[in-house]
Amino acid sequence: MSSSRTPRTALTLTIALIVAAVCVRLGVWQTSRLTARQAYNTTLIARLGEPQVPVRSLTADTAAGHYRLVTARGAMRYDRDIVWAPRMRRGSPGVNFLTPMVLPGSDTVVLVNRGWAYSPDAKSVDFTRWRERDTLSVSGYVEIWAQDCGAAAGVPLPALCGDSATRLLRKLDRRAAERIVGLPVAPYLIMQTSDSSLRADSVPARVELPILDEGPHRGYAFQWFALATIALAGGVALAIRE
């Protein structure tokens, strides 16, 4: 081998190794995401397999109640209705209604995600059209407030969080929801699932149960490991050819 080709061969192998290392790292990352998704599915199957319980029986540990099937009955504060937006459903823009439910003997409201309604701009909606009965018995699963958009007390609500004037909530942030609702809000939400009242035009499309699948992570991991193999094989082949 000539002296001029030695650096070029070394450079070829180095680039191949770098590309392969990056692909392997991405493959390992997708594998870790697959493992996390499998653990999530295990928890979800266990929680959704348990019998329904009254929402008031949940403990203060929101993580323990996440995805539990619950029931609740209370007065609905449609005058404090807010929308969680933007929310897409089957390719159409819309919003989800978060309605405060007043449980008997409690000064803290539980927000009930009553479901989705179409909105051309994915934020504006006629609240009065989507009012249901004054008192509702609902069933669904528990969701928790998982985001912090910086809704600090004493300062205007950041646009990232929502808009109090239009009763719009952009992030599932409990403090932002309390600012818009104007009432103490429970540390969990009820995601109301399908019921027989869906035939009414004034009833939003109810929330569906979480999807149980592993996502695309296994396929992505395979692709990255395959690319790493191709990079190494191609680099060695070019080096031998040179």
Side-chain angles (χ1 to χ4, degrees):
M1 181 181 294
S2 66
S3 58
S4 62
R5 290 186 177 180
T6 300
R8 187 169 61 185
T9 301
L11 179 61
T12 300
L13 290 174
T14 300
I15 293 174
L17 287 172
I18 292 173
V19 172
V22 171
C23 291
V24 168
R25 180 66 187 88
L26 291 171
V28 171
W29 174 58
Q30 289 294 337
T31 301
S32 66
R33 294 191 66 187
L34 174 63
T35 302
R37 186 58 183 255
Q38 291 171 336
Y40 162 84
N41 286 344
T42 300
T43 300
L44 194 59
I45 291 171
R47 298 280 171 84
L48 296 180
E50 296 175 349
Q52 288 183 332
V53 298
V55 70
R56 301 188 72 163
S57 68
L58 296 178
T59 66
D61 183 3
T62 55
H66 201 186
Y67 300 121
R68 284 295 306 272
L69 296 177
V70 295
T71 60
R73 179 176 175 81
M76 309 303 290
R77 293 292 305 269
Y78 297 111
D79 60 320
R80 303 294 181 98
D81 233 346
I82 62 178
V83 291
W84 175 25
R87 308 303 299 167
M88 301 295 293
R89 184 174 186 267
R90 298 174 183 174
S92 297
V95 302
N96 276 40
F97 288 93
L98 302 182
T99 305
M101 171 184 279
V102 181
L103 301 176
S106 176
D107 59 355
T108 298
V109 298
V110 177
L111 290 191
V112 178
N113 185 345
R114 293 191 292 123
W116 179 93
Y118 173 74
S119 171
D121 61 359
K123 62 179 181 179
S124 303
V125 71
D126 180 5
F127 284 95
T128 59
R129 177 190 170 185
W130 300 99
R131 292 191 175 190
E132 302 180 56
R133 296 183 299 275
D134 292 339
T135 300
L136 288 181
S137 295
V138 304
S139 61
Y141 67 93
V142 170
E143 188 55 86
I144 59 176
W145 304 99
Q147 295 176 309
D148 183 359
C149 57
V155 297
L157 190 65
L160 176 66
C161 299
D163 183 10
S164 297
T166 57
R167 290 147 65 181
L168 170 67
L169 183 70
R170 291 191 172 91
K171 301 287 186 180
L172 280 185
D173 181 278
R174 182 182 176 187
R175 290 182 297 178
E178 287 182 329
R179 293 274 296 277
I180 298 172
V181 172
L183 297 168
V185 172
Y188 41 77
L189 306 95
I190 299 177
M191 312 297 280
Q192 187 176 0
T193 51
S194 298
D195 55 31
S196 59
S197 63
L198 278 174
R199 291 187 293 272
D201 292 338
S202 61
V203 177
R206 302 299 192 207
V207 178
E208 298 178 354
L209 289 174
I211 298 174
L212 280 169
D213 63 37
E214 294 183 347
H217 308 301
R218 188 187 300 276
Y220 287 160
F222 176 80
Q223 290 176 8
W224 285 120
F225 290 137
L227 288 173
T229 302
I230 293 171
L232 283 176
V236 171
L238 285 174
I240 293 174
R241 184 176 180 179
E242 290 177 354

